[in-house]
């Protein structure tokens, strides 16, 4: 065991949460990345071709498309490897982020509400997100990209646990 | 009219509590306040028109509309306090219904402007904890009720916080924790908000002048003075303008300080609330429910710190979002700030004075990079501007930014620190706006750990203690991962389950 000062870099003495998200989340992130690229690229295309804008717009558009494709090819896989979650009888624990990693922990006794939500893309893929809210505006813990059935079950179970735990959560 | 007794049993579904109206004197005060606000505009309309009929009619019409509006507002606004919640209904066309559960009320703010005071009225503003359910706002305001009614409401709304045992000796008189010391006036020019206030006053003045179509250059003497200044060397002009602004800032900030903190008193009321009285023209009294107090923050903006001053504010839900949120005292000597912090928390020694653990050396490097990076960009931009258009001196002059940034970076590192006491998590950060936060352990309701790629390389993380109070979360910058996890585990044992000790 090293001392805190000399511990190797990038060591956070927390084990990763136990569960991975649903593999379909990779498709979700991929589609979302592509959609964003499309939204950015399309106006450029229209201006460049239809309205006769400057020629360099074609270049920036090509760059947008390449960046979008590269993101869709690489990042969702990375996100899938990083994103993990765990709910125990005592706490909700998530790990997320791609460039900036973010670990969030909320003790169950402090949970106020549990919400599930499905965006249109998530619905298409049979996915859902579960958001666990505490009394702080900075505190919500969201687990994204769960299978819809699992999300509903998790939300039910969480609601049951939080109701069984006393305290007004502030 | 009957009031639900403070000790009434919370009967669910009891809704026979009668509605109450705002004070009838609002029929006068409401329109009068509105007209006062419109006064500059009305004066301009009348002055520029030199008494022609349409303009007189417009003015009269506005006045009549305002009076009618005031009457409608008074007629349609009603409120009541049921055993469970405070409800406020208002509006004729756009009806508003506000409702705040009483067990979520954290602070009650009584405000009386000069006009309100003339009629012995008070505006009651209730701040509540964030509520997840829709339709329930974070608070509501009653503008206005009689001063006596306001006092009773304050007592009633804060006393019945169910989660807390009521103070043992309810008959005890309020205890004074701090009073005004006018020697503190020396800190007035050192507060940045005051400077900003002065800027606003100057801007408003100019605005008024231009509205009145007075050209400042036409004022006798001004034009002459400006010409002489322009004729002399640049540094004299800069110096004169600088000194003028400085004098204005000192005078303005002193006036603002006086208005804001006249009659300052911090008391602990017998009903278990901390109460701050203050204000010269507008009287304010903020009451914070003590069992909802989650800690204190001692803030030391750079200028104030240079003058060895500080200011303490309370951490409670619903406070801390605006600049004046939860302030318990005027800018005061540092020792006084910590004394008030201790008194507010009922501790013998303020946890904000706990010796803090230094952060690892890489934190210094990171603070330096963060300070010097933007400065370098600015210097580069200044050189580019100087080369292409601007004055040639701009480039070399901008180099002064670099040592300033380096000093700031080192200062920020020196400020960094954290400690864990038996009851508090104490943390400090910031250079331009340094603050020391002592958060009650039980006020921590979660954790967020963030690590950027740079931090990953340096082996540090940013730990944020999530709380319902104040700003919602307080960061501890650049601690080692091991320290971060150890802190979290010590404060909330739930975290232990995720620790990787067995490695």
């Amino acid at each position: 065991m090293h001392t805190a000062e000399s511990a190797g870099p990038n060591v956070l003495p927390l084990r990763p949460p136990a569960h991975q998200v649903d593999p379909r989340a990779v498709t979700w992130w991929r589609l979302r990345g592509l959609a964003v690229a499309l939204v950015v690229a399309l106006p450029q295309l229209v201006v460049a071709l239809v309205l006769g804008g400057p020629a360099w717009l074609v270049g920036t558009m090509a760059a947008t498309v390449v960046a979008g494709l590269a993101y869709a090819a690489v990042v969702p896989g990375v996100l899938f490897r990083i994103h993990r979650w765990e709910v125990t009888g005592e706490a909700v624990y998530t790990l997320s982020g791609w460039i900036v990693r973010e670990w969030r922990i909320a003790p169950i006794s402090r949970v106020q509400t549990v919400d599930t939500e499905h965006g249109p893309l998530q619905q298409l893929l049979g996915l859902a997100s579960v958001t666990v809210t505490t009394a702080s505006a900075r505190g919500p813990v969201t687990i994204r990209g769960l299978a819809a059935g699992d999300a509903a079950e998790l939300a039910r179970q969480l609601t049951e646990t939080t109701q069984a735990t006393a305290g007004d959560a502030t | 009219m009957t009031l639900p007794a403070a000790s009434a049993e919370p009967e669910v579904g009891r809704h026979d509590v009668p509605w109450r109206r705002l004070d009838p004197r609002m029929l006068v005060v409401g329109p009068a306040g509105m007209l006062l606000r419109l006064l500059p505009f009305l004066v301009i309309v009348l002055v520029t028109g030199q008494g022609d009929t349409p303009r007189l009619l417009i003015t009269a019409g506005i006045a009549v509309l305002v009076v009618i509006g005031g009457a409608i507002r008074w007629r349609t606004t009603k409120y009541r306090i049921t055993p469970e919640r405070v409800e406020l209904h208002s509006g004729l066309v756009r009806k508003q219904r506000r409702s705040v559960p009483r067990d979520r009320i954290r602070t009650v703010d009584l405000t009386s402007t000069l006009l309100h005071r003339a009629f012995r009225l008070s505006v009651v503003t209730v701040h509540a904890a964030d509520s997840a359910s829709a339709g329930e706002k974070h608070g509501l305001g009653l503008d206005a009720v009689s001063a006596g009614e306001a006092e009773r409401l304050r007592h009633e709304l804060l006393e019945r916080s169910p989660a807390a045992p009521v103070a043992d000796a309810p008959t005890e008189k309020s205890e004074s924790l701090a009073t005004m010391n006018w020697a503190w006036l020396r800190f007035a020019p050192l507060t940045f908000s005051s400077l900003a206030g002065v800027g606003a006053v100057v801007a408003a003045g100019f605005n008024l002048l231009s509205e009145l179509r007075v050209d400042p250059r036409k004022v006798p003497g001004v034009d002459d003075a400006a010409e002489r200044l322009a004729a002399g060397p640049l540094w004299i002009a800069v110096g004169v303008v600088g000194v003028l602004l400085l004098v204005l800032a000192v005078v303005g900030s002193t006036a603002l300080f006086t208005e804001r903190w006249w009659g300052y008193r911090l008391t602990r009321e017998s009903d278990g609330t901390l109460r701050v009285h203050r204000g010269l023209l507008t009287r304010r009294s903020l009451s914070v429910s003590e069992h909802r107090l989650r800690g204190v923050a001692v803030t030391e903006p750079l200028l104030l710190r240079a003058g060895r001053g500080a200011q303490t504010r309370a951490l409670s839900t619903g406070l801390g979002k605006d600049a004046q949120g939860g302030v318990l005292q005027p800018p005061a000597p540092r020792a006084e700030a910590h004394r008030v912090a201790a008194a507010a928390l009922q501790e013998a020694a303020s946890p904000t004075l706990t010796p803090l653990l230094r952060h690892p050396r890489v934190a210094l490097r990171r603070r330096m990079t963060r300070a010097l990076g933007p400065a370098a960009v600015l210097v580069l931009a200044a050189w580019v501007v100087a080369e292409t258009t601007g004055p040639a001196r701009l480039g070399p002059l901008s180099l002064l930014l670099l040592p300033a940034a380096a000093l700031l970076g080192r200062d920020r590192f020196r400020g960094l620190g954290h400690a864990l006491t038996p009851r508090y998590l104490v943390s400090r950060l910031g250079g331009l706006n340094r603050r020391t936060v002592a958060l009650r352990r039980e006020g921590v309701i979660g954790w967020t750990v963030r690590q950027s790629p740079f931090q990953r390389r340096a082996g540090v993380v940013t730990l944020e203690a999530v709380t319902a109070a104040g700003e919602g979360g307080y960061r501890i910058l650049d601690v080692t991962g091991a320290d971060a996890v150890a802190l979290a585990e010590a404060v909330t044992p739930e975290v232990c389950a995720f620790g990787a000790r067995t490695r």
Side-chain angles (χ1 to χ4, degrees):
Chain A
M1 193 78 188
H2 300 281
T3 64
E5 281 286 338
S6 65
N10 62 45
V11 173
L12 184 69
L14 280 181
R15 63 174 173 76
H19 312 292
Q20 284 195 299
V21 299
D22 193 276
R24 277 171 292 177
V26 176
T27 319
W28 174 47
W29 285 319
R30 192 164 285 153
L31 288 176
R32 238 179 22 168
L34 289 175
V36 169
L38 199 68
V39 166
V40 179
L42 218 54
Q44 299 181 41
L45 186 73
V46 171
V47 172
L49 297 186
V50 183
L51 304 176
W56 52 260
L57 262 181
V58 181
T60 57
M61 193 208 66
T64 312
V65 171
V66 169
L69 287 177
Y71 177 93
V74 179
V75 177
V78 177
L79 284 175
F80 181 70
R81 277 204 301 282
I82 293 172
H83 279 233
R84 301 181 75 94
W85 62 277
E86 183 171 346
V87 175
T88 68
E90 294 201 306
V92 183
Y93 175 30
T94 63
L95 169 55
S96 64
W98 161 42
I99 296 173
V100 176
R101 301 279 161 83
E102 190 174 280
W103 293 257
R104 276 174 181 264
I105 298 175
I108 291 281
S109 59
R110 307 301 196 159
V111 171
Q112 281 193 333
T113 59
V114 183
D115 299 307
T116 52
E117 59 207 347
H118 335 238
L121 264 180
Q122 278 187 306
Q123 257 179 34
L124 201 71
L125 295 164
L127 293 173
S129 302
V130 175
T131 301
V132 176
T133 323
T134 62
S136 169
R138 303 252 279 264
V141 180
T142 305
I143 310 170
R144 293 187 181 81
L146 295 175
D150 293 352
E153 170 60 20
L154 179 65
R156 193 193 57 75
Q157 187 193 325
L158 265 172
T159 311
E160 234 166 59
T161 327
T162 48
Q163 272 164 2
T165 320
D168 75 335
T170 61
Chain B
M1 237 184 269
T2 54
L3 268 167
S7 59
E9 287 298 312
E11 294 172 36
V12 181
R14 184 182 139 184
H15 284 299
D16 53 356
V17 182
W19 289 93
R20 285 185 269 175
R21 285 195 193 289
L22 300 178
D23 195 280
R25 280 170 283 187
M26 277 310 286
L27 286 169
V28 179
V29 175
M34 189 70 183
L35 286 176
L36 269 183
R37 247 171 287 157
L38 287 175
L39 197 62
F41 171 74
L42 294 180
V43 164
I44 288 160
V45 168
L46 287 179
V47 167
T48 54
Q50 265 128 29
D52 55 316
T53 352
R55 285 168 190 266
L56 278 178
L57 282 179
I58 289 174
T59 315
I62 290 174
V64 169
L65 279 181
V66 165
V67 170
I68 293 176
I72 290 176
R73 202 178 80 85
W74 182 79
R75 191 79 186 79
T76 53
T77 306
K78 53 183 184 175
Y79 69 95
R80 66 177 180 180
I81 296 162
T82 72
E84 299 87 33
R85 41 185 64 239
V86 182
E87 294 172 300
L88 173 69
H89 288 192
S90 64
L92 180 68
V93 182
R94 215 167 64 86
K95 286 207 164 80
Q96 283 196 334
R97 287 166 178 240
R98 294 196 146 197
S99 160
V100 173
R102 285 180 64 180
D103 61 355
R104 296 209 160 275
I105 293 171
R106 301 290 181 265
T107 63
V108 173
D109 197 346
L110 308 186
T111 311
S112 324
T113 66
L114 210 50
L115 189 62
H116 284 97
R117 283 170 70 192
F119 287 82
R120 302 195 46 73
L121 295 176
S122 232
V123 181
V124 180
T125 311
V126 175
H127 297 284
D130 287 337
S131 183
S133 38
E136 284 176 353
K137 292 287 159 57
H138 299 335
L140 52 78
L142 303 176
D143 182 6
V145 294
S146 71
E149 169 80 351
E151 198 57 36
R152 217 177 50 234
L153 282 173
R154 185 201 82 85
H155 191 76
E156 188 186 344
L157 291 176
L158 284 173
E159 189 174 57
R160 220 179 128 276
S161 288
V166 178
D168 291 332
T171 49
E172 198 188 330
K173 281 287 288 173
S174 66
E175 168 199 0
S176 175
L177 300 180
T179 51
M180 192 60 188
N181 178 346
W182 284 103
W184 300 343
L185 201 57
R186 67 179 188 273
F187 294 114
L190 300 179
T191 47
F192 196 72
S193 62
S194 301
L195 293 184
V198 171
V201 168
V202 171
F206 267 106
N207 222 356
L208 193 65
L209 283 182
S210 73
E211 289 279 353
L212 291 170
R213 300 191 195 156
V214 176
D215 189 338
R217 279 168 296 182
K218 298 266 167 63
V219 177
V222 171
D223 201 23
D224 185 37
E227 235 166 58
R228 281 191 200 187
L229 266 186
L234 180 69
W235 63 268
I236 291 186
V238 170
V240 167
V241 170
V243 167
L244 272 179
L245 281 178
L246 198 66
V247 168
L248 203 64
V250 169
V251 171
S253 59
T254 308
L256 262 170
F257 185 99
T258 310
E259 203 291 314
R260 204 174 264 168
W261 293 105
W262 184 273
Y264 160 71
R265 247 177 336 125
L266 173 66
T267 54
R268 171 171 287 119
E269 301 290 319
S270 55
D271 53 5
T273 56
L274 284 174
R275 192 168 183 190
V276 185
H277 298 264
R278 62 190 177 91
L280 177 62
L281 303 178
T282 297
R283 289 289 301 166
R284 294 175 65 105
S285 118
L286 172 74
S287 304
V288 182
S289 172
E290 264 199 293
H291 6 268
R292 300 300 191 165
L293 192 65
R294 290 292 173 256
V296 295
V298 175
T299 55
E300 301 166 84
L302 190 62
L303 272 177
L304 193 56
R305 181 149 53 97
R308 308 188 66 75
Q311 193 174 22
T312 293
R313 50 188 68 205
L315 299 187
S316 178
T317 317
L319 295 175
K321 271 153 201 157
D322 60 88
Q324 288 295 309
V327 286
L328 290 179
Q329 63 174 172
R334 202 176 295 159
E336 170 68 9
H338 290 294
R339 188 191 69 77
V340 162
L345 295 170
Q346 304 203 32
E347 301 284 344
S350 175
T352 49
L353 284 174
T354 313
L356 302 184
L357 299 172
R358 278 285 184 93
H359 288 194
R361 205 69 196 161
V362 286
L364 173 61
R365 203 189 67 214
R366 278 179 47 73
R367 287 309 109 200
M368 281 300 195
T369 323
R370 299 275 289 246
L372 286 172
V377 171
L378 280 179
V379 168
L380 206 66
W383 277 104
V384 170
V385 169
E387 288 296 314
T388 49
T389 55
R393 263 177 289 183
L394 196 59
L397 210 60
S398 70
L399 285 178
L400 286 177
L401 277 175
L402 292 177
L407 283 177
L408 191 64
R410 200 178 63 142
D411 183 52
R412 291 198 65 191
F413 170 70
R414 290 196 161 172
L416 282 185
H418 68 273
L420 195 60
T421 75
R423 293 196 62 194
Y424 297 90
L425 172 63
V426 188
S427 66
R428 185 166 60 210
L429 59 79
L432 287 178
N433 198 5
R434 178 166 297 173
R435 55 142 212 249
T436 312
V437 173
L439 188 62
R440 286 222 166 107
R441 283 182 178 213
E442 69 267 22
V444 178
I445 60 171
W447 299 94
T448 304
V449 180
R450 284 193 197 89
Q451 192 175 44
S452 70
F454 300 111
Q455 285 182 311
R456 196 142 51 235
R457 230 179 38 201
V460 291
V461 298
T462 296
L463 177 71
E464 183 176 60
V466 176
T467 171
E471 290 166 23
Y474 290 95
R475 287 176 306 153
I476 302 175
L477 284 182
D478 293 340
V479 281
T480 62
D483 284 353
V485 173
L487 267 181
E489 286 179 344
V491 175
T492 50
E494 288 96 334
V495 175
C496 294
F498 310 123
R501 283 244 179 59
T502 50
R503 187 168 61 92

